Amino acid sequence: MEPIAYTEYLTMQTEKRYDIIDITDIVERVRAAAKLRDGYVLVSTMHITSSIFVNDHEPGLWADILTWVEGLAPAGRDYRHHETGEDNGDAHLKRMLLGHQVLVPVTKAGLDLGPWERVHYGEFDGQRPKRILFKALGLST
Amino acid sequence: MEPIAYTEYLTMQTEKRYDIIDITDIVERVRAAAKLRDGYVLVSTMHITSSIFVNDHEPGLWADILTWVEGLAPAGRDYRHHETGEDNGDAHLKRMLLGHQVLVPVTKAGLDLGPWERVHYGEFDGQRPKRILFKALGLST
Amino acid sequence: MEPIAYTEYLTMQTEKRYDIIDITDIVERVRAAAKLRDGYVLVSTMHITSSIFVNDHEPGLWADILTWVEGLAPAGRDYRHHETGEDNGDAHLKRMLLGHQVLVPVTKAGLDLGPWERVHYGEFDGQRPKRILFKALGLST
């Protein structure tokens, strides 16, 4: 039982521009590799047009979430950001609604999540490689 | 002064379906039980239809927040999630707006919050038992 | 390489009521002062009408963000919170949309951010002094 820090990176590439993917099993794999017994695993997207969030593993809900963020931060608007040549202003806003990082608690060498809590990656400007950072901090097994 | 991790769980059951409750005193009680002098206390709801957020202890503002999230993520819509038999699609979205966890800084054996910062539990599908996780990490007194 | 915790406070005062300011260089300065090699730096506003968030350093996008939060949480509405004599109900809601804190990962004695990730302070009720808390936790150099 000693203090440890451990880092991994994962590259994601979604087939669709907008997508939601459950990455909870990857978080647990990182936790195990870190030998973290008690502490946190930070899961943080390194790109500014994607999200990390916790919600239900339920494809109907994933569709609701994509519809909802499109309603509140629509694509195709005349965003000032597009003056730079980009066309993804909506993705920068959508990622704010859902958040860009989650701190997963770890207890007794396991992810300490509620029964329906699952960690998701939300992509709003996909079809290209993007990185997620995992950083474990706490006490080792 | 040595590295510590400490975990507690609290079960909440609100009388109303939608509610906001100040839980700052509970965070401090957990901090004291953890003997945490310097570090963080993670406060994270273990359910996917409730929130943890920091804002003012002011009932008028709490009413504003409930009105606001209802406007942006209304109940009673024909959410895809309801095809599973659930009726709480709005709660899954409302909890995203306000966030599901907060990291409370601890300095000199006290919560290091600004004068109006208070930690709140936001419930959007209540009237049943739900758990909140508190996990302290840092250096002990 | 030993466990450390380190805290700093910064007072901000914006010229405008609504503003967005890149504070990434300050986070790195705090990290260096903390001698943090591996861990996290929590960046958290101590006021409930401002935000900390990660997004692109791009003034067009900053304008988009301010327009967007004004659309979703408008000023000038008849908020219940205003019965207390305050006029900043919108600011309390806007800060929820963007979040009030960020955990910046630190690896090999540097901020472990993606190429476009920058930490920003979002002000929605400015023109007066406000504090930001920085708390490093992890293993020292």
Side-chain angles (χ1 to χ4, degrees):
Chain A
M1 190 179 117
E2 57 179 292
I4 53 156
Y6 175 88
T7 310
E8 267 198 41
Y9 309 89
L10 175 75
T11 299
M12 301 284 289
Q13 179 157 349
T14 58
E15 288 181 28
K16 290 179 279 186
R17 179 158 181 163
Y18 300 93
D19 211 349
I20 290 176
I21 294 163
D22 185 331
I23 59 169
T24 314
D25 292 345
I26 299 167
V27 184
E28 167 54 25
R29 190 177 55 66
V30 170
R31 187 216 59 74
K35 295 185 172 59
L36 184 66
R37 188 180 60 82
D38 207 346
Y40 309 138
V41 179
L42 174 67
V43 184
S44 195
T45 173
M46 302 185 81
H47 291 258
I48 51 187
T49 51
S50 49
S51 283
I52 304 289
F53 63 89
V54 168
N55 219 316
D56 203 353
H57 183 105
E58 203 280 282
L61 178 68
W62 300 343
D64 290 331
I65 291 170
L66 290 177
T67 301
W68 180 64
V69 297
E70 178 60 25
L72 295 184
R77 279 213 184 146
D78 195 20
Y79 292 111
R80 287 271 312 270
H81 183 52
H82 295 175
E83 296 171 14
T84 65
E86 296 282 352
D87 67 350
N88 59 4
D90 69 306
H92 287 272
L93 303 180
K94 286 177 167 103
R95 90 79 150 249
M96 304 271 238
L97 275 173
L98 303 189
H100 84 285
Q101 61 183 196
V102 158
L103 205 52
V104 180
V106 170
T107 308
K108 294 179 184 168
L111 306 187
D112 201 350
L113 297 170
W116 303 280
E117 281 194 290
R118 300 288 293 179
V119 183
H120 292 85
Y121 176 72
E123 176 62 83
F124 309 114
D125 186 17
Q127 299 169 318
R128 53 199 178 97
K130 291 185 152 183
R131 287 202 305 160
I132 302 172
L133 174 146
F134 302 81
K135 184 174 283 278
L137 189 70
L139 304 177
S140 69
T141 48
Chain B
M1 190 181 117
E2 56 179 292
I4 52 156
Y6 176 89
T7 310
E8 266 197 40
Y9 308 89
L10 175 74
T11 299
M12 302 283 290
Q13 180 157 351
T14 58
E15 287 181 30
K16 289 179 280 186
R17 178 158 182 164
Y18 299 93
D19 211 349
I20 290 175
I21 293 163
D22 185 332
I23 60 169
T24 315
D25 292 346
I26 299 168
V27 183
E28 167 54 26
R29 191 177 55 65
V30 170
R31 186 216 61 74
K35 295 185 172 58
L36 184 65
R37 189 181 59 81
D38 208 345
Y40 309 137
V41 179
L42 174 67
V43 185
S44 195
T45 172
M46 302 185 82
H47 291 258
I48 51 187
T49 51
S50 49
S51 282
I52 304 290
F53 63 90
V54 168
N55 219 317
D56 203 353
H57 184 105
E58 203 279 281
L61 179 67
W62 300 343
D64 290 331
I65 292 170
L66 290 177
T67 302
W68 181 64
V69 297
E70 178 59 27
L72 295 183
R77 280 213 184 148
D78 195 20
Y79 293 111
R80 288 269 313 269
H81 183 51
H82 295 175
E83 296 171 15
T84 65
E86 296 282 351
D87 67 350
N88 60 4
D90 69 305
H92 287 272
L93 303 180
K94 286 177 167 103
R95 90 78 151 250
M96 305 271 238
L97 275 173
L98 303 187
H100 84 284
Q101 61 183 196
V102 157
L103 205 52
V104 179
V106 169
T107 308
K108 293 178 184 168
L111 306 186
D112 201 349
L113 296 171
W116 302 281
E117 281 194 292
R118 301 286 293 180
V119 183
H120 291 85
Y121 176 73
E123 176 62 83
F124 309 114
D125 186 18
Q127 298 169 318
R128 54 200 176 98
K130 291 186 151 182
R131 289 201 305 160
I132 303 171
L133 174 146
F134 302 80
K135 184 174 283 281
L137 188 70
L139 305 176
S140 69
T141 50
Chain C
M1 189 179 118
E2 57 179 291
I4 53 156
Y6 175 89
T7 310
E8 267 198 40
Y9 308 90
L10 175 76
T11 299
M12 301 283 290
Q13 179 157 351
T14 58
E15 288 182 28
K16 290 179 280 186
R17 179 159 182 164
Y18 300 94
D19 211 349
I20 289 175
I21 294 162
D22 185 332
I23 60 169
T24 315
D25 292 347
I26 299 168
V27 184
E28 167 54 25
R29 191 177 55 64
V30 170
R31 186 215 60 75
K35 295 186 173 58
L36 184 66
R37 188 180 60 83
D38 207 346
Y40 309 138
V41 179
L42 174 67
V43 184
S44 196
T45 174
M46 303 185 81
H47 291 258
I48 50 187
T49 52
S50 48
S51 283
I52 304 290
F53 62 89
V54 169
N55 219 317
D56 203 353
H57 183 105
E58 204 279 283
L61 179 66
W62 300 344
D64 290 331
I65 291 171
L66 291 176
T67 302
W68 180 64
V69 297
E70 177 60 25
L72 294 184
R77 281 214 183 147
D78 195 21
Y79 293 110
R80 287 270 314 268
H81 183 52
H82 295 175
E83 295 172 14
T84 65
E86 296 282 351
D87 67 350
N88 60 4
D90 70 306
H92 287 271
L93 303 180
K94 286 177 167 104
R95 91 78 152 249
M96 305 270 239
L97 275 174
L98 303 187
H100 84 284
Q101 61 184 196
V102 158
L103 204 52
V104 180
V106 169
T107 309
K108 295 179 183 169
L111 306 187
D112 201 350
L113 296 171
W116 301 280
E117 280 194 290
R118 301 288 291 180
V119 183
H120 292 84
Y121 176 73
E123 176 62 85
F124 309 114
D125 187 17
Q127 299 170 319
R128 54 200 177 96
K130 291 186 151 181
R131 288 202 306 161
I132 302 171
L133 173 146
F134 302 81
K135 183 172 284 279
L137 188 70
L139 305 177
S140 69
T141 50

